[in-house]
Amino acid sequence: MSETTRTGTAPSAPLGTEKPVEAVKVLPARHPWRWVATAAVAVVAAMAGNALVTNPAWEWPTVGQFLFSATILQSLWLTVQLTIVGTAIGLVLGTVLALLRMSKNPLLQGVSFAYISVFRSVPLILQLLFWFNLAILYKTIGFGVPFGPQFWTFSTQNLIAPLTAAFLGLGLHQAAYFAEIVRSGFLAIDPGQREAAAALGIPQFRQFWRIQLPQALRIIVPTTGNEVIGLLKGTSVVYIMALPELFYQVQVVYNRTGRVIPLLLVAAIWYFVLTTVLSVVQWFVERHYGRGSDRHQAELPLLKLARTVLAARARRPEVSR
């Protein structure tokens, strides 16, 4: 018995007689339940869209009449102003409060903790009312020597107008939440990186600006984006001060015309547009600061859907004429 037969190995074929190797056909994995869920969601979405479009109670012609009216656009701009100023005040003051909270000084920690506790405990509508009625508590506001003479005195009634009260109320309220967001972002960084940077002789400012801040922003940006969107919708609370923001102006119009549902739909459409814009901006900022940390960065749902449809059409075989 030969060595080849004894070991069970087939003898090699002579040169030139090998059979051609057939190409292996790779089949994609099938997901039947995914298609079932997709079909069910598509049917429900189609039913909802049909009910929204065909129901005459929505009064779409009235919606189109008031959607771009001058009154609504002016109130929309005031809503944007309240959001921008409230966010700016909240971010600046919140960052300061976060740094005070992380300080080793117990007094600074206590002041920051007390501020955050108070402003997170009191509802926003109450804070707005306190600022709006500040003249009842303090007739004048002065600047001078602490516990001493005052050099400049201003009337609180003239200094704190309704719009100023709204800016202060929204900004100071959001500062308490932004402070915790910023603090959580910096606490999530491994302290060993700061120690390694200090051992290499990197200055503290450069440690903060080039090492700590970029990593903290990956955590801070998503939650901050959610807070800004919440603040945008929370601006509707300033209606108690008769400020003509979007929701208040919609109320004025439908109280005059009696068209409640279409005017509420106008407000809902504009809030949806503004929150969508903020969401897109948040996505781009997250993508910028998430570079290098995630190999598969998430795409916008609509962009991903369009890319999937185009890819499916490209794979479809051409129909011969």
Side-chain angles (χ1 to χ4, degrees):
M1 183 179 295
S2 64
E3 185 68 22
T4 303
T5 306
R6 190 166 54 248
T7 57
T9 304
S12 59
L15 294 176
T17 61
E18 296 89 348
K19 294 183 178 180
V21 179
E22 297 182 359
V24 179
K25 186 177 181 181
V26 179
L27 297 177
R30 301 185 183 277
H31 304 280
W33 290 110
R34 181 185 300 175
W35 288 105
V36 171
T38 303
V41 171
V43 170
V44 173
M47 293 174 61
N50 180 69
L52 188 64
V53 173
T54 59
N55 190 348
W58 291 106
E59 301 184 43
W60 288 104
T62 306
V63 173
Q65 176 186 353
F66 287 99
L67 188 62
F68 296 100
S69 64
T71 304
I72 297 298
L73 292 180
Q74 289 175 1
S75 63
L76 182 67
W77 171 237
L78 179 58
T79 299
V80 173
Q81 286 181 301
L82 291 170
T83 304
I84 294 175
V85 176
T87 302
I89 296 175
L91 279 176
V92 173
L93 183 57
T95 303
V96 173
L97 290 171
L99 295 177
L100 294 180
R101 186 76 184 276
M102 293 185 293
S103 172
K104 296 181 179 180
N105 189 313
L107 177 61
L108 299 181
Q109 289 183 359
V111 171
S112 176
F113 178 78
Y115 180 97
I116 294 171
S117 300
V118 171
F119 279 85
R120 287 201 306 179
S121 302
V122 180
L124 175 59
I125 191 170
L126 290 182
Q127 297 181 38
L128 291 173
L129 288 174
F130 273 118
W131 285 106
F132 185 63
N133 297 286
L134 187 63
I136 300 176
L137 297 174
Y138 303 98
K139 302 296 182 182
T140 59
I141 297 178
F143 298 92
V145 180
F147 308 104
Q150 297 181 350
F151 304 117
W152 296 280
T153 304
F154 304 94
S155 172
T156 307
Q157 188 69 37
N158 298 328
L159 186 63
I160 307 296
L163 185 59
T164 306
F167 287 152
L168 290 174
L170 294 173
L172 297 179
H173 174 77
Q174 285 300 129
Y177 292 92
F178 284 140
E180 290 298 284
I181 293 172
V182 173
R183 187 173 71 93
S184 65
F186 282 100
L187 291 179
I189 302 175
D190 187 1
Q193 298 190 23
R194 185 171 62 252
E195 296 172 358
L200 292 174
I202 300 177
Q204 289 190 353
F205 179 78
R206 191 173 180 83
Q207 294 177 27
F208 172 80
W209 189 255
R210 301 291 296 177
I211 298 175
Q212 294 178 279
L213 186 60
Q215 297 182 72
L217 285 175
R218 287 203 298 264
I219 303 171
I220 293 172
V221 167
T223 314
T224 301
N226 293 335
E227 284 295 325
V228 174
I229 291 175
L231 176 61
L232 170 66
K233 296 180 291 184
T235 55
S236 59
V237 182
V238 303
Y239 79 92
I240 59 173
M241 296 184 292
L243 285 175
E245 52 81 39
L246 181 59
F247 182 67
Y248 178 84
Q249 199 62 42
V250 162
Q251 286 182 308
V252 171
V253 175
Y254 74 60
N255 285 331
R256 186 177 68 247
T257 61
R259 304 294 187 180
V260 178
I261 297 299
L263 265 302
L264 291 177
L265 189 57
V266 167
I269 290 173
W270 279 120
Y271 279 123
F272 176 77
V273 170
L274 293 178
T275 54
T276 302
V277 171
L278 289 176
S279 299
V280 172
V281 172
Q282 175 186 345
W283 180 80
F284 279 107
V285 176
E286 286 184 23
R287 186 181 180 88
H288 173 74
Y289 286 107
R291 293 175 301 176
S293 62
D294 188 4
R295 295 181 179 179
H296 307 285
Q297 292 185 340
E299 291 184 330
L300 287 172
L302 293 180
L303 182 61
K304 186 176 181 180
L305 177 61
R307 195 186 302 276
T308 304
V309 172
L310 293 176
R313 292 184 62 182
R315 290 195 301 267
R316 184 182 302 172
E318 296 184 359
V319 180
S320 60
R321 297 184 178 180

